[in-house]
Amino acid sequence: MNCQFSQQTIDFIQQVTFKYNQDNISRTAAYANFFMANPEIRWAYLAHMVSRNAGWSMTDLTSKPYRTLLSKEWRRRLFITYERANWLIFSDAYPQLMIYRLSNDMKRPLFYLLPAFSVSHWMMREWEYFWYYRDINRLLYALIINEQHVIDNPIVQSNPFKKTVFQTSIFKWQETLHFNVVLFPGYMTRLYGCTVKDFTSVTERIKLGNQLSWLLFQSPCKKEIYHYFKTVPYTGSRLIDIRSHLSGERSLPLRVTFPYIWHDDKHRIDWSNDTRYKPNKALHRHVKRPVQYDLTKWYAKKHHQMLMAAQLVAHVKRKLNNS
């Protein structure tokens, strides 16, 4: 393979990745379009559905309950956290998907190009394994492991995010009350999903990813969720996308409230060189199904609790202002 071809390919992938990584709406659509064309890459479907949740969490921040419960600064911090994590994952994963697509087109593996995008050497070996052995589930779990490690040091364990978000009482309060949840709607007005128990633990995030993949590909509700995926367009608004389960809140469109964010990308390192991480052990760990995954009634209760809390806080503020 000549150097000119390699550089042209790298430039093309960089341009396409930049185009689709502008915001949550564009990257969510890119995942869906890739999966529809390449259904054997199951991670793209999982990434699309999780990205929907990220967008819903972003627009939730503009709703009246969140504006009542959280300060403007706190809502800005949470948005930056959601956006940065999802941007970083896409910037790492989408070049992998593009190289796989181009490899199929040319009928020969091009994974030697992955280091040009700072993709981990561990993940490069997993793609090569998949090319020859076509183990669909192993690649799914490998991508879950890789992307959670990609965001671990730069975001979850980094001092700016750690001190201002993950170690704060507000974030721990959200986790304790299980307001952090990933939801997959079904077409029969059901809500399926899992709660995030300890977001700061890479092991727990990988476990969550595996359980969510079980919901999409093995659970009794997988056809319901897929029907929703195929028939309900993604808008970025939780109210619009799953309106039958929500009441008492309004949020502005994602692109109106949160414009394009420029991201610094100069300090990316290969996480698989860190001896603290043991990805092969995680790769072969048995995936346990979630104990409770029909969250329809549970989520309605939690949503009601949040509305009541917001009303209480608003009442107290009015009392203080009038006194």
Side-chain angles (χ1 to χ4, degrees), residues 279-319:
N280 289 335
K281 184 178 180 181
L283 185 62
H284 297 289
R285 187 175 293 134
H286 176 67
V287 177
K288 295 182 180 179
R289 55 173 282 179
V291 176
Q292 178 186 6
Y293 58 88
D294 186 338
L295 303 183
T296 310
K297 293 181 179 179
W298 178 92
Y299 183 73
K301 179 181 178 182
K302 290 295 178 182
H303 184 67
H304 178 72
Q305 288 175 347
M306 184 191 68
L307 295 178
M308 292 300 100
Q311 289 178 13
L312 178 61
V313 170
H315 176 73
V316 171
K317 287 181 177 179
R318 285 195 299 268
K319 286 283 188 180

Short mmCIF file of all heavy atoms in Angstrom, two decimals, residues 279-319:
data_model
loop_
_atom_site.label_atom_id
_atom_site.label_comp_id
_atom_site.label_asym_id
_atom_site.label_seq_id
_atom_site.Cartn_x
_atom_site.Cartn_y
_atom_site.Cartn_z
N PRO A 279 -7.55 -5.22 30.05
CA PRO A 279 -8.68 -5.36 29.13
C PRO A 279 -9.00 -6.79 28.74
O PRO A 279 -10.16 -7.13 28.53
CB PRO A 279 -8.24 -4.54 27.90
CG PRO A 279 -6.74 -4.51 27.99
CD PRO A 279 -6.43 -4.47 29.44
N ASN A 280 -7.98 -7.65 28.66
CA ASN A 280 -8.26 -9.04 28.25
C ASN A 280 -9.09 -9.77 29.28
O ASN A 280 -9.94 -10.61 28.95
CB ASN A 280 -6.94 -9.78 28.00
CG ASN A 280 -6.25 -9.30 26.75
OD1 ASN A 280 -6.89 -8.79 25.84
ND2 ASN A 280 -4.93 -9.44 26.69
N LYS A 281 -8.87 -9.45 30.56
CA LYS A 281 -9.67 -10.05 31.61
C LYS A 281 -11.13 -9.62 31.49
O LYS A 281 -12.06 -10.43 31.61
CB LYS A 281 -9.12 -9.65 32.98
CG LYS A 281 -9.83 -10.30 34.16
CD LYS A 281 -9.18 -9.90 35.47
CE LYS A 281 -9.90 -10.54 36.65
NZ LYS A 281 -9.29 -10.13 37.95
N ALA A 282 -11.34 -8.33 31.22
CA ALA A 282 -12.70 -7.82 31.05
C ALA A 282 -13.37 -8.40 29.80
O ALA A 282 -14.57 -8.65 29.78
CB ALA A 282 -12.68 -6.29 30.97
N LEU A 283 -12.56 -8.66 28.78
CA LEU A 283 -13.10 -9.18 27.52
C LEU A 283 -13.73 -10.55 27.69
O LEU A 283 -14.72 -10.88 27.03
CB LEU A 283 -11.97 -9.24 26.48
CG LEU A 283 -12.35 -9.64 25.05
CD1 LEU A 283 -13.33 -8.65 24.45
CD2 LEU A 283 -11.10 -9.74 24.19
N HIS A 284 -13.19 -11.35 28.57
CA HIS A 284 -13.67 -12.73 28.73
C HIS A 284 -14.54 -12.92 29.97
O HIS A 284 -14.87 -14.05 30.33
CB HIS A 284 -12.47 -13.68 28.79
CG HIS A 284 -11.65 -13.68 27.53
ND1 HIS A 284 -12.10 -14.23 26.36
CD2 HIS A 284 -10.43 -13.14 27.26
CE1 HIS A 284 -11.19 -14.07 25.42
NE2 HIS A 284 -10.16 -13.41 25.93
N ARG A 285 -14.93 -11.80 30.59
CA ARG A 285 -15.79 -11.90 31.76
C ARG A 285 -17.23 -12.19 31.31
O ARG A 285 -17.71 -11.63 30.33
CB ARG A 285 -15.74 -10.60 32.56
CG ARG A 285 -16.48 -10.65 33.89
CD ARG A 285 -16.26 -9.35 34.67
NE ARG A 285 -14.87 -9.23 35.10
CZ ARG A 285 -14.15 -8.12 34.97
NH1 ARG A 285 -14.65 -7.06 34.39
NH2 ARG A 285 -12.90 -8.09 35.40
N HIS A 286 -17.92 -13.04 32.02
CA HIS A 286 -19.30 -13.40 31.68
C HIS A 286 -20.22 -12.19 31.85
O HIS A 286 -20.14 -11.47 32.84
CB HIS A 286 -19.79 -14.54 32.57
CG HIS A 286 -21.22 -14.91 32.35
ND1 HIS A 286 -21.67 -15.49 31.17
CD2 HIS A 286 -22.32 -14.78 33.14
CE1 HIS A 286 -22.97 -15.70 31.26
NE2 HIS A 286 -23.39 -15.27 32.44
N VAL A 287 -21.06 -11.96 30.85
CA VAL A 287 -22.00 -10.83 30.90
C VAL A 287 -23.25 -11.26 31.67
O VAL A 287 -23.97 -12.17 31.27
CB VAL A 287 -22.39 -10.37 29.48
CG1 VAL A 287 -23.43 -9.25 29.57
CG2 VAL A 287 -21.17 -9.92 28.71
N LYS A 288 -23.49 -10.59 32.78
CA LYS A 288 -24.67 -10.88 33.58
C LYS A 288 -25.82 -9.97 33.17
O LYS A 288 -25.64 -8.76 33.07
CB LYS A 288 -24.37 -10.70 35.07
CG LYS A 288 -23.35 -11.68 35.62
CD LYS A 288 -23.14 -11.46 37.11
CE LYS A 288 -22.12 -12.45 37.68
NZ LYS A 288 -21.90 -12.22 39.13
N ARG A 289 -26.98 -10.54 32.96
CA ARG A 289 -28.14 -9.74 32.62
C ARG A 289 -28.53 -8.87 33.82
O ARG A 289 -28.35 -9.28 34.98
CB ARG A 289 -29.32 -10.61 32.22
CG ARG A 289 -29.70 -11.65 33.23
CD ARG A 289 -30.98 -12.38 32.85
NE ARG A 289 -32.16 -11.55 33.15
CZ ARG A 289 -33.41 -11.93 32.90
NH1 ARG A 289 -33.65 -13.10 32.35
NH2 ARG A 289 -34.41 -11.15 33.20
N PRO A 290 -29.06 -7.68 33.59
CA PRO A 290 -29.50 -6.85 34.71
C PRO A 290 -30.65 -7.51 35.46
O PRO A 290 -31.50 -8.16 34.86
CB PRO A 290 -29.95 -5.55 34.03
CG PRO A 290 -30.19 -5.92 32.60
CD PRO A 290 -29.27 -7.04 32.29
N VAL A 291 -30.68 -7.34 36.78
CA VAL A 291 -31.73 -7.92 37.60
C VAL A 291 -33.08 -7.33 37.24
O VAL A 291 -34.07 -8.04 37.07
CB VAL A 291 -31.43 -7.70 39.10
CG1 VAL A 291 -32.57 -8.24 39.96
CG2 VAL A 291 -30.12 -8.38 39.48
N GLN A 292 -33.12 -6.01 37.10
CA GLN A 292 -34.34 -5.31 36.72
C GLN A 292 -34.05 -4.45 35.50
O GLN A 292 -33.16 -3.60 35.55
CB GLN A 292 -34.86 -4.43 37.86
CG GLN A 292 -36.12 -3.64 37.51
CD GLN A 292 -36.52 -2.67 38.61
OE1 GLN A 292 -35.80 -2.49 39.58
NE2 GLN A 292 -37.67 -2.02 38.45
N TYR A 293 -34.77 -4.67 34.43
CA TYR A 293 -34.53 -3.86 33.24
C TYR A 293 -35.79 -3.23 32.65
O TYR A 293 -35.69 -2.34 31.81
CB TYR A 293 -33.80 -4.68 32.17
CG TYR A 293 -34.52 -5.93 31.72
CD1 TYR A 293 -35.45 -5.88 30.68
CD2 TYR A 293 -34.26 -7.15 32.33
CE1 TYR A 293 -36.10 -7.03 30.26
CE2 TYR A 293 -34.91 -8.30 31.91
CZ TYR A 293 -35.82 -8.23 30.88
OH TYR A 293 -36.48 -9.37 30.47
N ASP A 294 -36.97 -3.67 33.08
CA ASP A 294 -38.19 -2.95 32.72
C ASP A 294 -38.36 -1.83 33.73
O ASP A 294 -38.78 -2.03 34.87
CB ASP A 294 -39.41 -3.88 32.74
CG ASP A 294 -40.68 -3.18 32.23
OD1 ASP A 294 -40.73 -1.93 32.26
OD2 ASP A 294 -41.61 -3.89 31.80
N LEU A 295 -38.01 -0.61 33.32
CA LEU A 295 -37.97 0.53 34.23
C LEU A 295 -39.16 1.46 34.03
O LEU A 295 -39.12 2.62 34.47
CB LEU A 295 -36.67 1.31 34.03
CG LEU A 295 -35.36 0.53 34.22
CD1 LEU A 295 -34.16 1.45 34.05
CD2 LEU A 295 -35.32 -0.17 35.58
N THR A 296 -40.21 1.00 33.40
CA THR A 296 -41.35 1.85 33.08
C THR A 296 -41.93 2.52 34.33
O THR A 296 -42.00 3.75 34.42
CB THR A 296 -42.45 1.05 32.36
OG1 THR A 296 -41.86 0.32 31.27
CG2 THR A 296 -43.53 1.98 31.83
N LYS A 297 -42.33 1.71 35.31
CA LYS A 297 -42.92 2.27 36.53
C LYS A 297 -41.86 2.95 37.39
O LYS A 297 -42.12 4.00 38.00
CB LYS A 297 -43.61 1.15 37.33
CG LYS A 297 -44.83 0.57 36.63
CD LYS A 297 -45.48 -0.52 37.49
CE LYS A 297 -46.72 -1.08 36.81
NZ LYS A 297 -47.35 -2.17 37.63
N TRP A 298 -40.69 2.35 37.45
CA TRP A 298 -39.59 2.92 38.23
C TRP A 298 -39.25 4.32 37.75
O TRP A 298 -39.09 5.25 38.55
CB TRP A 298 -38.38 2.01 38.12
CG TRP A 298 -37.15 2.49 38.85
CD1 TRP A 298 -36.78 2.20 40.12
CD2 TRP A 298 -36.14 3.35 38.33
NE1 TRP A 298 -35.59 2.81 40.43
CE2 TRP A 298 -35.17 3.53 39.35
CE3 TRP A 298 -35.94 3.98 37.11
CZ2 TRP A 298 -34.04 4.31 39.19
CZ3 TRP A 298 -34.81 4.77 36.94
CH2 TRP A 298 -33.87 4.93 37.97
N TYR A 299 -39.14 4.50 36.41
CA TYR A 299 -38.76 5.79 35.88
C TYR A 299 -39.86 6.83 36.10
O TYR A 299 -39.58 8.00 36.41
CB TYR A 299 -38.44 5.69 34.39
CG TYR A 299 -37.96 7.01 33.82
CD1 TYR A 299 -36.70 7.49 34.12
CD2 TYR A 299 -38.79 7.78 33.00
CE1 TYR A 299 -36.26 8.70 33.62
CE2 TYR A 299 -38.35 9.00 32.50
CZ TYR A 299 -37.08 9.45 32.82
OH TYR A 299 -36.65 10.66 32.34
N ALA A 300 -41.11 6.41 35.95
CA ALA A 300 -42.22 7.34 36.21
C ALA A 300 -42.16 7.85 37.64
O ALA A 300 -42.39 9.03 37.91
CB ALA A 300 -43.55 6.65 35.93
N LYS A 301 -41.83 6.95 38.58
CA LYS A 301 -41.72 7.33 39.99
C LYS A 301 -40.57 8.31 40.20
O LYS A 301 -40.71 9.33 40.89
CB LYS A 301 -41.52 6.08 40.85
CG LYS A 301 -41.38 6.37 42.33
CD LYS A 301 -41.16 5.07 43.11
CE LYS A 301 -40.96 5.35 44.60
NZ LYS A 301 -40.71 4.08 45.35
N LYS A 302 -39.41 8.01 39.62
CA LYS A 302 -38.25 8.88 39.76
C LYS A 302 -38.51 10.24 39.12
O LYS A 302 -38.11 11.29 39.65
CB LYS A 302 -37.01 8.23 39.14
CG LYS A 302 -36.50 7.03 39.91
CD LYS A 302 -35.99 7.45 41.28
CE LYS A 302 -35.51 6.26 42.10
NZ LYS A 302 -35.06 6.64 43.44
N HIS A 303 -39.17 10.23 37.98
CA HIS A 303 -39.48 11.48 37.29
C HIS A 303 -40.42 12.33 38.14
O HIS A 303 -40.23 13.55 38.28
CB HIS A 303 -40.12 11.17 35.94
CG HIS A 303 -40.41 12.37 35.10
ND1 HIS A 303 -39.42 13.16 34.57
CD2 HIS A 303 -41.58 12.93 34.73
CE1 HIS A 303 -39.97 14.15 33.89
NE2 HIS A 303 -41.27 14.04 33.97
N HIS A 304 -41.38 11.69 38.76
CA HIS A 304 -42.32 12.40 39.64
C HIS A 304 -41.58 12.97 40.85
O HIS A 304 -41.86 14.11 41.27
CB HIS A 304 -43.43 11.45 40.09
CG HIS A 304 -44.42 12.07 41.04
ND1 HIS A 304 -45.36 13.00 40.62
CD2 HIS A 304 -44.61 11.92 42.38
CE1 HIS A 304 -46.08 13.39 41.66
NE2 HIS A 304 -45.65 12.75 42.73
N GLN A 305 -40.65 12.20 41.40
CA GLN A 305 -39.87 12.67 42.54
C GLN A 305 -39.08 13.93 42.18
O GLN A 305 -38.99 14.87 42.98
CB GLN A 305 -38.93 11.57 43.03
CG GLN A 305 -39.62 10.42 43.74
CD GLN A 305 -38.65 9.31 44.09
OE1 GLN A 305 -37.51 9.27 43.61
NE2 GLN A 305 -39.09 8.39 44.93
N MET A 306 -38.50 13.94 40.99
CA MET A 306 -37.73 15.10 40.57
C MET A 306 -38.63 16.33 40.43
O MET A 306 -38.28 17.44 40.85
CB MET A 306 -37.02 14.83 39.25
CG MET A 306 -36.13 15.97 38.81
SD MET A 306 -35.56 15.78 37.11
CE MET A 306 -37.10 16.00 36.22
N LEU A 307 -39.82 16.15 39.85
CA LEU A 307 -40.75 17.27 39.70
C LEU A 307 -41.19 17.80 41.06
O LEU A 307 -41.28 19.02 41.26
CB LEU A 307 -41.97 16.83 38.88
CG LEU A 307 -41.72 16.45 37.41
CD1 LEU A 307 -43.02 16.01 36.76
CD2 LEU A 307 -41.11 17.62 36.64
N MET A 308 -41.45 16.90 42.01
CA MET A 308 -41.85 17.32 43.34
C MET A 308 -40.72 18.07 44.04
O MET A 308 -40.94 19.08 44.72
CB MET A 308 -42.26 16.11 44.18
CG MET A 308 -43.54 15.42 43.72
SD MET A 308 -45.00 16.50 43.75
CE MET A 308 -45.12 16.97 42.00
N ALA A 309 -39.49 17.58 43.86
CA ALA A 309 -38.33 18.25 44.47
C ALA A 309 -38.17 19.65 43.90
O ALA A 309 -37.89 20.62 44.63
CB ALA A 309 -37.07 17.42 44.23
N ALA A 310 -38.35 19.78 42.59
CA ALA A 310 -38.23 21.09 41.95
C ALA A 310 -39.31 22.05 42.45
O ALA A 310 -39.04 23.23 42.69
CB ALA A 310 -38.31 20.94 40.43
N GLN A 311 -40.52 21.54 42.60
CA GLN A 311 -41.61 22.38 43.10
C GLN A 311 -41.34 22.84 44.54
O GLN A 311 -41.62 23.99 44.90
CB GLN A 311 -42.93 21.62 43.02
CG GLN A 311 -43.44 21.42 41.60
CD GLN A 311 -44.73 20.61 41.56
OE1 GLN A 311 -45.38 20.41 42.57
NE2 GLN A 311 -45.10 20.16 40.35
N LEU A 312 -40.80 21.93 45.34
CA LEU A 312 -40.48 22.27 46.73
C LEU A 312 -39.41 23.35 46.79
O LEU A 312 -39.52 24.33 47.54
CB LEU A 312 -40.03 21.03 47.49
CG LEU A 312 -39.61 21.25 48.95
CD1 LEU A 312 -40.78 21.81 49.77
CD2 LEU A 312 -39.09 19.95 49.55
N VAL A 313 -38.36 23.19 46.00
CA VAL A 313 -37.28 24.18 45.98
C VAL A 313 -37.80 25.52 45.49
O VAL A 313 -37.46 26.58 46.04
CB VAL A 313 -36.12 23.67 45.09
CG1 VAL A 313 -35.10 24.79 44.85
CG2 VAL A 313 -35.44 22.47 45.73
N ALA A 314 -38.63 25.51 44.46
CA ALA A 314 -39.20 26.75 43.94
C ALA A 314 -40.05 27.45 45.00
O ALA A 314 -40.02 28.68 45.14
CB ALA A 314 -40.03 26.46 42.69
N HIS A 315 -40.81 26.65 45.76
CA HIS A 315 -41.65 27.21 46.82
C HIS A 315 -40.80 27.87 47.91
O HIS A 315 -41.11 28.98 48.38
CB HIS A 315 -42.52 26.10 47.42
CG HIS A 315 -43.35 26.55 48.59
ND1 HIS A 315 -44.47 27.35 48.45
CD2 HIS A 315 -43.21 26.31 49.94
CE1 HIS A 315 -44.98 27.59 49.65
NE2 HIS A 315 -44.26 26.97 50.56
N VAL A 316 -39.73 27.20 48.31
CA VAL A 316 -38.83 27.74 49.33
C VAL A 316 -38.19 29.04 48.85
O VAL A 316 -38.07 30.02 49.60
CB VAL A 316 -37.77 26.70 49.71
CG1 VAL A 316 -36.70 27.32 50.61
CG2 VAL A 316 -38.40 25.50 50.39
N LYS A 317 -37.77 29.05 47.58
CA LYS A 317 -37.15 30.26 47.04
C LYS A 317 -38.13 31.43 47.04
O LYS A 317 -37.75 32.56 47.36
CB LYS A 317 -36.65 29.99 45.61
CG LYS A 317 -35.41 29.11 45.54
CD LYS A 317 -34.97 28.91 44.10
CE LYS A 317 -33.69 28.08 44.02
NZ LYS A 317 -33.29 27.87 42.60
N ARG A 318 -39.39 31.16 46.67
CA ARG A 318 -40.39 32.23 46.67
C ARG A 318 -40.61 32.76 48.09
O ARG A 318 -40.74 33.97 48.30
CB ARG A 318 -41.70 31.72 46.09
CG ARG A 318 -41.71 31.56 44.58
CD ARG A 318 -43.11 31.41 44.02
NE ARG A 318 -43.76 30.22 44.57
CZ ARG A 318 -43.73 29.02 44.01
NH1 ARG A 318 -43.03 28.84 42.88
NH2 ARG A 318 -44.36 27.98 44.55
N LYS A 319 -40.66 31.86 49.07
CA LYS A 319 -40.84 32.25 50.46
C LYS A 319 -39.69 33.15 50.92
O LYS A 319 -39.89 34.17 51.60
CB LYS A 319 -40.91 31.02 51.36
CG LYS A 319 -42.21 30.25 51.26
CD LYS A 319 -43.32 30.97 52.01
CE LYS A 319 -44.57 30.12 52.10
NZ LYS A 319 -45.65 30.86 52.84
#
